[in-house]
Amino acid sequence: AQSVSQHNHHVILSEAASLELGCNYSYGGTVNLFWYVQYPGQHLQLLLKYFSGDPLVKGIKGFEAEFIKSKFSFNLRKPSVQWSDTAEYFCAVNGNAGNNRKLIWGLGTSLAVNP
Amino acid sequence: DSGVTQTPKHLITATGQRVTLRCSPRSGDLSVYWYQQSLDQGLQFLIQYYNGEERAKGNILERFSAQQFPDLHSELNLSSLELGDSALYFCASSLISTSSSTDTQYFGPGTRLTVL
């Protein structure tokens, strides 16, 4: 079955702390991987994506993620978080064949950064 | 601003009623996706249209239907509404170029549906 698992449901950090959010997926075939962020009261925005090539991808606002194929993981990292990073973070996966590209989502991780 | 627009922003209605949510994709995007976000279920894929045709169906109830029009905008119709249908409904769009195996979905601001 296709699924995405995000290990941390709620994370609380102080500003300048390092962040790592776990994401594991189960999906047959070649995958595309995504992290989206949802700031309070706002819509989903793309943070970064992996399609192929270098497994370390860099996104907006200093975020990066590493695709480890052997572990079926795509963990999100940021070396130093800011208060403005307070948001809900979603990991998602889809396949890259055909016109069916529905995203399979994790349940999300709520990040609160204390100033 | 992703370029995907959704109307209305908020919708409050009663059980048993029918509502229509509208989505306009980014300019040039051919595919439209509908997702439901609720507290208990998280984000769930409902349905995808590509250039006017249904491409994939997810956890969409029979009471729900959608279509994509020739101008590529899409409507999601929800009927015989129940309390449990209260959720945030997102629309996303993407290009899906036939020459590319990669695709990124861009999301609209969502429609918050409250069923009383």
Side-chain angles (χ1 to χ4, degrees):
Chain A
Q2 301 166 345
S3 65
V4 174
S5 174
Q6 291 183 238
H7 317 300
N8 322 95
H9 296 297
H10 299 282
V11 173
I12 302 174
L13 296 172
S14 298
E15 273 193 320
S18 65
L19 170 73
E20 179 157 3
L21 302 182
C23 172
N24 285 91
Y25 67 91
S26 172
Y27 198 99
T30 307
V31 296
N32 301 319
L33 295 153
F34 306 84
W35 276 96
Y36 283 85
V37 61
Q38 189 174 27
Y39 297 103
Q42 294 191 30
H43 62 284
L44 290 156
Q45 299 174 40
L46 182 69
L47 260 185
L48 48 75
K49 59 191 177 187
Y50 172 81
F51 291 149
S52 64
D54 189 343
L56 185 63
V57 292
K58 295 193 184 297
I60 60 172
K61 304 186 182 188
F63 286 91
E64 65 179 31
E66 185 175 11
F67 171 50
I68 303 179
K69 191 174 181 180
S70 60
K71 295 185 178 180
F72 301 94
S73 71
F74 190 56
N75 292 352
L76 181 71
R77 298 193 292 248
K78 185 171 184 178
S80 176
V81 294
Q82 301 172 319
W83 175 78
S84 58
D85 293 324
T86 294
E88 190 94 16
Y89 291 82
F90 294 92
C91 180
V93 62
N94 68 4
N96 63 8
N99 289 323
N100 174 0
R101 305 284 172 81
K102 66 177 183 183
L103 285 168
I104 309 297
W105 297 87
L107 288 177
T109 297
S110 174
L111 171 66
V113 180
N114 295 322
Chain B
D1 184 4
S2 66
V4 179
T5 60
Q6 286 186 250
T7 56
K9 214 170 177 180
H10 300 278
L11 205 43
I12 301 174
T13 188
T15 54
Q17 294 299 304
R18 172 190 168 93
V19 296
T20 297
L21 314 183
R22 183 189 167 102
C23 168
S24 292
R26 294 187 319 155
S27 176
D29 283 356
L30 299 176
S31 201
V32 168
Y33 308 77
W34 287 96
Y35 294 89
Q36 179 193 59
Q37 186 180 33
S38 60
L39 284 173
D40 54 344
Q41 301 260 8
L43 272 156
Q44 299 282 321
F45 167 74
L46 295 177
I47 198 164
Q48 175 199 357
Y49 278 83
Y50 173 71
N51 207 18
E53 292 187 8
E54 184 184 300
R55 272 288 179 240
K57 230 169 180 175
N59 301 321
I60 187 166
L61 300 170
E62 283 190 16
R63 301 183 285 109
F64 296 179
S65 65
Q67 54 184 324
Q68 186 178 28
F69 293 87
D71 67 352
L72 300 177
H73 91 270
S74 177
E75 292 181 357
L76 179 67
N77 300 296
L78 314 177
S79 61
S80 303
L81 285 168
E82 301 175 359
L83 295 176
D85 298 328
S86 295
L88 199 49
Y89 291 84
F90 284 111
C91 165
S93 76
S94 70
L95 175 59
I96 305 193
S97 163
T98 53
S99 63
S100 172
S101 61
T102 61
D103 200 48
T104 299
Q105 292 176 33
Y106 294 92
F107 283 77
T111 293
R112 183 168 293 283
L113 173 66
T114 303
V115 182
L116 302 175

